[in-house]
């Protein structure tokens, strides 16, 4: 009798396996989440040391134009002005997004509205393939093709914001195009039919109906491309010239946050001001990628509201 | 100008834009393949790199790339499978789950250079692993986890609930249903996701510069004991990959035939990415046919 009672009250093997499986999968998820917090903690602990341990003024760091952390600047403080890099990063991001947007949206409209068959057969596979091309390959092409082209056409050494912009333009073009095409494809078919039934031409339908309905999706695509451009390190580092000066024109050597980081981290001693200042740059990168993320979420939520209305 | 003419003009402009983009993209691929493919030879693919003279190969770098890829997938696949299963099968629909999804999304949007720097601080310095295969594969794991988790979660979500209900009706527990029914049914899309992420890892460089290092010491390919430092399998040796190699020889400029070597390496990288893409599609289709007998 007791045996039966015991076997009935004891947990079955199946329920033990169930429990174990649930815990294992939860641990996996917890591991990923903790990695994110570790990244933020480690980068912030180094990046904030510049301000708390080395007592650099935050405003001076963001607005200073001299970057040479090992030496003293003209004001007797260590020269840790990050403005040239911040300006460089934002300039190439905005410029490349500005150039890429019309091309990407034009191609996406062509793929979805004008010639869907050719779009699906040729354009879509090619763009999706190009999304996967490694960034060093873009950098190498930039070095071989874009830099000489800029040097011969606009003068200067060829290294600078303009070359960086061109390389990033080609790099984010496939991403923005394929995401915009997804946004256009998501516009319901009856929107187009209703517009055509009212006697609108194809262009009027595209311009007045389809594009407007797809605005949130396309904005997401553009912000996504900008985030990629902002965080790109090696391709930009190879063509921008890496001079920590405020760029006076588009063809003079400049630098970005990522390019100075990749060059500098290996050549500085852990814990020194030179090193901490670089980690502060990394912290700016981290914060900006959060901002892009928030922007994408905000646009997504707004877009949903518009569709429901 | 009437509406019809504007329509014609706009259509023409759109044709032009699309053509221009196609030209840019095709020229890009063409440039690499035309410059690079003639450089590829058996000697180029197998011999070690030479720093100061022309005629070196990419043998060690190529091996390192594959080895790192293999280790990174080995670590990240079980973790993301577990996380994907929890997110799709167990997690309740509430704020906490939403927050967890947001954190994973943030991880996937971090610039790869930041992931590399974190790997440098955490694995190389904190855990004293040094510039090594191990640090590199951990960094790549961090880089790969969010993408793979996302694609596995999607693959699981696409399996219809009928399959789960059938499992419960047979008296299986949730975990057994997931491991014996849902995951096998989702296998084709999971494998497609894994191979596509492999293509991304293979070309990654920024996350590896300060984790796997920028040097490729000579390897003894007759010694397969992982505990010897010159063995190809040793996890504690520094390992420059193909993508890092391209970056390094271009920014240092010591190698006399840097251009030819990088052209050849770029072509190898692109062909590898192409192969990964085709493999992903083919494997997915093949497995789907095999499993569903359609």
């Amino acid at each position: 009798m007791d045996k039966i009672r015991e076997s009935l009250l004891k947990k079955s093997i199946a329920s033990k396996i169930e429990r174990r499986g649930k815990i294992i999968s939860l641990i996996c998820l917890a591991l990923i989440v903790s990695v994110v917090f570790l990244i933020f903690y480690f980068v912030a602990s180094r990046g904030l040391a510049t301000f708390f341990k080395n007592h650099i003024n935050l405003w001076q760091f963001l607005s200073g134009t001299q970057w040479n952390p090992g030496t003293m600047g003209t004001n007797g403080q260590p020269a840790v002005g990050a403005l040239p890099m911040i300006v460089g990063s934002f300039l190439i991001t905005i410029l490349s997004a500005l150039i890429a947007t019309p091309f990407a949206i034009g191609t996406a409209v062509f793929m979805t509205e004008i010639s869907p068959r050719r779009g699906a057969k040729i354009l879509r596979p090619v763009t999706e393939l190009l999304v996967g091309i490694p960034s060093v390959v873009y950098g190498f092409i930039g070095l071989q093709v874009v830099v000489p082209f800029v040097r011969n056409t606009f003068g200067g050494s060829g290294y600078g914001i303009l070359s960086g912009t061109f390389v990033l333009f080609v790099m984010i073009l496939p991403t923005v195009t394929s995401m915009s095409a997804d946004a256009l494809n998501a516009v319901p078919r009856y929107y187009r039919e209703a517009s055509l039934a009212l006697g609108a031409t194809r262009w009027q339908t595209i311009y007045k109906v389809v594009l407007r309905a797809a605005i949130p999706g396309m904005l997401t695509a553009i912000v996504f491309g900008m985030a990629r451009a902002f965080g790109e390190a090696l391709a930009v580092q190879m063509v921008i010239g890496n001079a920590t000066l405020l760029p006076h024109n588009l063809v003079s050597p400049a630098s970005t946050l990522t390019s100075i980081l990749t060059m500098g981290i290996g050549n500085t001693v852990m814990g020194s001001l030179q090193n901490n200042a670089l980690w502060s740059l990394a912290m700016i990168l981290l914060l900006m990628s959060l901002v892009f993320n928030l922007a994408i979420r905000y646009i997504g939520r707004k877009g949903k509201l518009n569709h429901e209305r | 100008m009437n509406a019809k003419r504007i329509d014609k003009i706009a259509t023409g402009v759109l044709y032009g834009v699309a053509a221009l983009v196609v030209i840019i993209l095709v020229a890009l691929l063409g440039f690499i393949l035309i410059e690079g493919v003639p450089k590829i030879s058996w000697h180029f693919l197998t011999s070690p790199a030479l720093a100061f003279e022309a005629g070196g190969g990419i043998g060690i770098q190529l091996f390192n790339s594959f080895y790192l890829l293999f280790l990174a997938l080995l670590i990240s696949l079980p973790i993301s499978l577990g996380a994907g299963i929890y997110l799709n099968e167990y997690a309740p629909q509430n704020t906490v789950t939403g927050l967890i999804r947001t954190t994973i999304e943030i991880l996937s949007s971090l610039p790869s250079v930041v992931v590399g720097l974190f790997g440098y601080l955490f694995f190389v310095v904190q855990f004293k692993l040094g510039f090594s295969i191990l640090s590199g594969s951990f960094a790549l794991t961090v880089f790969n986890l969010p993408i793979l988790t996302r694609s596995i979660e999607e693959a699981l979500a696409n399996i219809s609930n009928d399959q789960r209900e059938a499992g419960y009706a047979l008296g299986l527990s949730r975990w057994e249903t997931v491991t014996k029914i849902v995951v096998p049914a989702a296998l084709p899309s999971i494998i497609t996701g894994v191979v596509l992420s492999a293509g991304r890892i293979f070309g990654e460089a920024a996350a590896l510069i300060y984790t796997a290092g920028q040097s490729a010491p000579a390897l003894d390919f007759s010694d397969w004991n992982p505990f010897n430092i010159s063995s190809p399998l040793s996890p504690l040796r520094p390992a420059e990959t193909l993508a890092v190699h391209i970056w390094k020889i271009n920014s240092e400029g010591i190698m006399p035939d840097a251009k030819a070597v990088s052209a050849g390496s770029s072509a190898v990288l692109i062909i590898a990415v192409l192969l990964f893409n085709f493999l992903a599609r083919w494997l997915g289709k093949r497995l789907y046919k095999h499993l569903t007998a359609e």
Side-chain angles (χ1 to χ4, degrees):
Chain A
M1 198 58 195
D2 264 359
K3 244 186 185 166
I4 298 170
R5 188 185 146 82
E6 202 177 299
S7 75
L8 280 175
L9 286 179
K10 220 171 58 181
K11 271 195 171 164
S12 72
I13 295 175
S15 89
K16 268 187 197 155
I17 293 175
E18 166 70 22
R19 232 180 112 75
R20 204 175 54 202
K22 191 172 175 182
I23 290 174
I24 290 174
S25 60
L26 183 60
I27 289 174
C28 292
L29 187 63
L31 195 69
I32 299 179
V33 174
S34 53
V35 163
V36 182
F37 284 103
L38 273 177
I39 291 178
F40 276 82
Y41 170 73
F42 269 83
V43 174
S45 69
R46 295 275 165 178
L48 290 175
T50 317
F51 309 112
F52 290 114
K53 235 177 80 204
N54 305 105
H55 304 292
I56 303 291
N57 186 324
L58 176 65
W59 177 243
Q60 196 189 322
F61 177 77
L62 291 176
S63 65
T65 53
Q66 283 178 309
W67 178 265
N68 199 354
T71 61
M72 293 295 167
T74 40
N75 57 357
Q77 290 269 350
V80 283
L83 193 64
M85 279 81 90
I86 297 174
V87 169
S89 278
F90 275 98
L91 257 182
I92 56 165
T93 304
I94 292 167
L95 286 177
S96 56
L98 273 182
I99 306 178
T101 302
F103 283 100
I105 292 182
T107 313
V109 168
F110 182 83
M111 272 159 74
T112 54
E113 312 294 324
I114 309 259
S115 183
R117 215 164 41 87
R118 250 175 286 185
K121 263 213 169 130
I122 308 169
L123 274 164
R124 186 150 270 259
V126 172
T127 45
E128 268 166 17
L129 200 110
L130 282 161
V131 173
I133 289 191
S135 60
V136 278
V137 173
Y138 284 104
F140 169 64
I141 295 173
L143 214 52
Q144 294 303 326
V145 181
V146 178
V147 170
F149 170 77
V150 170
R151 180 169 38 213
N152 295 336
T153 336
F154 301 100
S157 63
Y159 294 94
I161 301 273
L162 195 61
S163 302
T165 303
F166 280 144
V167 169
L168 283 180
F169 153 64
V170 180
M171 207 173 135
I172 65 175
L173 185 61
T175 317
V176 183
T177 306
S178 78
M179 283 180 76
S180 302
D182 288 340
L184 291 172
N185 270 330
V187 175
R189 200 184 154 76
Y190 56 80
Y191 278 33
R192 300 183 180 91
E193 282 161 0
S195 164
L196 292 171
L198 287 172
T201 61
R202 183 163 64 182
W203 171 246
Q204 282 170 331
T205 306
I206 293 171
Y207 185 67
K208 299 233 157 111
V209 178
V210 181
L211 279 181
R212 270 156 224 229
I215 279 180
M218 289 189 307
L219 271 181
T220 309
I222 295 164
V223 176
F224 201 85
M226 285 174 75
R228 212 182 149 191
F230 199 85
E232 176 47 44
L234 302 185
V236 174
Q237 189 264 344
M238 285 161 92
V239 298
I240 201 158
N242 303 306
T244 50
L245 306 164
L246 266 186
H248 352 253
N249 57 37
L250 293 183
V251 289
S252 67
S255 57
T256 64
L257 296 166
T258 48
S259 78
I260 294 304
L261 267 174
T262 35
M263 309 252 307
I265 282 289
N267 306 327
T268 51
V269 183
M270 264 292 159
S272 63
L273 170 62
Q274 288 97 309
N275 191 266
N276 288 342
L278 286 172
W279 287 107
S280 305
L281 297 184
M283 210 171 64
I284 299 180
L285 261 184
L286 207 59
L287 291 179
M288 273 315 292
S289 103
L290 267 188
V291 169
F292 284 124
N293 218 299
L294 285 177
I296 289 172
R297 300 196 135 243
Y298 178 75
I299 296 166
R301 211 174 308 143
K302 269 263 162 147
K304 224 182 243 164
L305 282 180
N306 276 342
H307 270 295
E308 274 162 12
R309 219 177 344 178
Chain B
M1 282 234 278
N2 58 9
K4 271 201 174 151
R5 181 172 285 171
I6 296 177
D7 182 61
K8 283 230 170 81
I9 294 172
T11 308
V13 169
L14 284 173
Y15 261 93
V17 169
L20 200 64
V21 168
V22 170
I23 290 172
I24 293 177
L25 300 184
V26 169
L28 194 78
L29 278 179
F31 176 81
I32 300 167
L33 294 179
I34 290 168
E35 286 273 305
V37 170
K39 307 283 186 308
I40 300 174
S41 63
W42 184 246
H43 170 80
F44 180 69
L45 289 179
T46 52
S47 57
L50 300 172
F52 304 106
E53 44 195 306
I58 52 167
I60 294 174
Q61 281 80 9
L62 199 58
F63 176 81
N64 286 342
S65 287
F66 277 111
Y67 191 31
L68 269 171
L69 171 67
F70 171 72
L71 283 183
L73 284 181
L74 198 68
I75 307 170
S76 55
L77 183 58
I79 300 178
S80 8
L81 190 61
I85 287 176
Y86 192 86
L87 273 178
N88 194 55
E89 308 288 334
Y90 288 106
Q93 291 296 333
N94 58 21
T95 349
V96 180
T97 314
L99 273 177
I100 290 175
R101 285 218 168 83
T102 314
T103 13
I104 293 178
E105 223 163 89
I106 289 175
L107 184 58
S108 77
S109 70
L110 288 185
S112 58
V113 60
V114 171
V115 173
L117 291 174
F118 164 74
Y120 174 64
L121 266 186
F122 196 64
F123 304 120
V124 176
V125 177
Q126 198 82 9
F127 280 94
K128 301 197 172 59
L129 290 175
F131 291 135
S132 63
I133 294 253
L134 220 50
S135 312
S137 48
F138 283 140
L140 285 180
T141 301
V142 172
F143 174 75
N144 194 27
L145 276 178
I147 310 157
L148 204 52
T149 305
R150 190 68 188 273
S151 75
I152 289 178
E153 196 198 337
E154 260 168 36
L156 295 177
N158 279 336
I159 301 303
S160 82
N161 262 333
D162 300 352
Q163 305 252 34
R164 291 186 186 90
E165 280 157 13
Y168 302 149
L170 288 171
L172 295 181
S173 70
R174 220 183 225 195
W175 179 253
E176 283 168 327
T177 314
V178 170
T179 49
K180 303 232 161 85
I181 298 175
V182 181
V183 170
L187 205 59
S189 20
I190 292 179
I191 287 190
T192 309
V194 170
V195 179
L196 283 178
S197 78
R200 271 189 49 146
I201 297 182
F202 196 74
E204 179 51 39
L208 288 175
I209 291 178
Y210 291 116
T211 50
Q214 304 169 32
S215 57
L219 299 179
D220 177 6
F221 277 94
S222 60
D223 179 3
W224 293 94
N225 179 358
F227 295 102
N228 291 344
I229 198 78
S230 67
S231 154
L233 291 184
S234 160
L236 288 174
R237 63 187 173 87
E240 181 192 41
T241 66
L242 202 52
V244 175
H245 190 59
I246 297 176
W247 174 73
K248 197 174 171 233
I249 56 180
N250 274 300
S251 41
E252 275 186 342
I254 309 173
M255 194 183 283
D257 59 343
K259 191 188 159 195
V261 173
S262 0
S265 314
S266 299
V268 172
L269 266 186
I270 296 227
I271 292 170
V273 171
L274 275 175
L275 283 181
F276 279 122
N277 261 293
F278 286 129
L279 190 71
R281 272 165 218 231
W282 180 78
L283 261 181
K285 256 187 216 153
R286 180 79 200 263
L287 261 174
Y288 183 79
K289 265 191 191 152
H290 183 74
L291 288 173
T292 57
E294 265 172 26

